Amino acid sequence: MKKYYIYSLLLLTVACKTEPKDQQVEQTEVSPTAVSNLESPILGERTQGTVLILDKADGIPLFELYDNVLVESTPAQGGVVQILVYADLKPEEFNLEMLEEGRYLVAAGDTIGKVLKTHEANTGQGEKTYAMLMGYTALKNIKPETIIENDLAQKLQENNKDFSNWEGFIKKYDLSPEGFDYKNFESYYNYENSIEDPSPGFRVVLLFEAKRLVGIVHARPMNLNGFNTQKLDRGYRVSFVADFPQNQQKDFVNYVNTWLKNVD
């Protein structure tokens, strides 16, 4: 049984020590209608229908989650993702040893799922007492329109780099400003999952210069037409619009790699 004194996938502090895995992201086309119908902001992936969560990729069900539950997820491998979800506990349950079969999972007053097999409890305490549940499920069980890389690829098809065209996207994903303090760039970012590292680094960073989108730093590989993609240290990549000056691309790559060496 593990105990933690942190709370919520929304309140983690970036340390940028995560090294993204060098693997191809399985991206899915999403319809603009599906994206526009989502609640905003989109703070993570959402389940699609009632979903079984297994103890391993081809394992047995540990618990089930109901439709539209907020989770964190890793990049898909072989059509399977690992997920993390938080469930509320009573304060006196911080020392809970096991999550018992049949127990309903509750978060913020909503019933989000049910335990299907008794298993060890990983608990934490911060503003609330909570259980962290992890397991595996098929990528098809995650709403593709809640995966930011899918929506980003769709957005780029509009071929409109003006900042005004991206303000809605930044607000929708609650992207934070000032990812990098670099010359006259403006940057907006979110974090990677905290399954692979409890102190995750960046997942997506939008780079603007003179109110124009000029590049994207991304932890997960993406196929971006019309962009020049270069590898950074620690498994990151930066993709610049093809006509962005090569010398400025090189300067930024050097800056980020130096910056990465100086963060924990």
Side-chain angles (χ1 to χ4, degrees):
M1 177 179 57
K2 296 180 181 178
K3 305 295 183 189
Y4 299 87
Y5 290 89
I6 57 175
Y7 179 68
S8 171
L9 71 169
L10 309 179
L11 298 178
L12 295 168
T13 302
V14 64
C16 286
K17 66 180 179 182
T18 302
E19 299 187 15
K21 298 183 182 298
D22 191 6
Q23 59 192 17
Q24 184 60 47
V25 171
E26 299 175 27
Q27 290 178 247
T28 307
E29 288 281 336
V30 298
S31 72
T33 301
V35 173
S36 65
N37 287 339
L38 286 172
E39 296 178 3
S40 185
I42 301 172
L43 300 175
E45 286 77 49
R46 297 274 180 173
T47 52
Q48 185 157 256
T50 298
V51 173
L52 292 178
I53 310 299
L54 313 180
D55 65 337
K56 55 185 179 180
D58 57 351
I60 59 175
L62 288 180
F63 56 98
E64 65 182 9
L65 296 176
Y66 303 144
D67 184 52
N68 208 44
V69 173
L70 178 66
V71 299
E72 290 190 40
S73 71
T74 61
Q77 298 187 57
V80 175
V81 297
Q82 188 176 11
I83 67 98
L84 165 65
V85 65
Y86 293 87
D88 294 340
L89 298 176
K90 297 176 182 177
E92 60 269 24
E93 291 183 305
F94 177 61
N95 292 314
L96 188 69
E97 296 283 345
M98 306 294 288
L99 290 170
E100 298 291 338
E101 177 181 339
R103 177 176 180 139
Y104 285 97
L105 304 172
V106 176
D110 293 328
T111 302
I112 62 170
K114 184 179 181 181
V115 178
L116 301 179
K117 179 179 174 57
T118 299
H119 62 283
E120 185 180 22
N122 292 329
T123 63
Q125 203 166 57
E127 294 180 5
K128 295 183 178 181
T129 304
Y130 58 92
M132 296 187 298
L133 295 90
M134 289 190 283
Y136 297 81
T137 195
L139 176 61
K140 66 181 181 180
N141 293 330
I142 302 297
K143 292 183 177 180
E145 61 270 22
T146 65
I147 300 173
I148 189 172
E149 289 83 6
N150 290 342
D151 196 8
L152 177 56
Q154 183 79 27
K155 181 72 175 173
L156 288 169
Q157 291 180 16
E158 298 175 8
N159 199 31
N160 186 337
K161 306 297 192 302
D162 289 341
F163 179 79
S164 60
N165 187 55
W166 287 87
E167 288 181 293
F169 185 91
I170 292 167
K171 182 177 180 180
K172 185 196 314 184
Y173 288 93
D174 196 29
L175 301 185
S176 301
E178 300 179 6
F180 294 110
D181 182 17
Y182 177 76
K183 295 185 177 180
N184 57 340
F185 275 17
E186 290 183 65
S187 55
Y188 296 84
Y189 67 93
N190 69 349
Y191 297 132
E192 249 297 354
N193 72 86
S194 54
I195 301 168
E196 298 170 311
D197 192 320
S199 183
F202 296 133
R203 178 167 173 174
V204 169
V205 187
L206 303 181
L207 305 173
F208 295 88
E209 183 182 56
K211 297 298 183 181
R212 294 276 295 177
L213 180 72
V214 296
I216 302 162
V217 174
H218 44 106
R220 306 186 184 195
M222 298 182 66
N223 294 320
L224 301 176
N225 294 328
F227 282 74
N228 175 32
T229 298
Q230 303 177 58
K231 289 186 177 181
L232 301 169
D233 289 347
R234 297 193 177 184
Y236 288 95
R237 291 164 174 78
V238 60
S239 297
F240 282 106
V241 294
D243 60 355
F244 192 68
Q246 289 292 324
N247 63 323
Q248 294 188 48
Q249 294 186 38
K250 182 178 178 180
D251 287 348
F252 183 77
V253 168
N254 291 336
Y255 160 80
V256 174
N257 284 338
T258 299
W259 182 80
L260 286 169
K261 289 182 176 68
N262 294 319
V263 295
D264 184 15

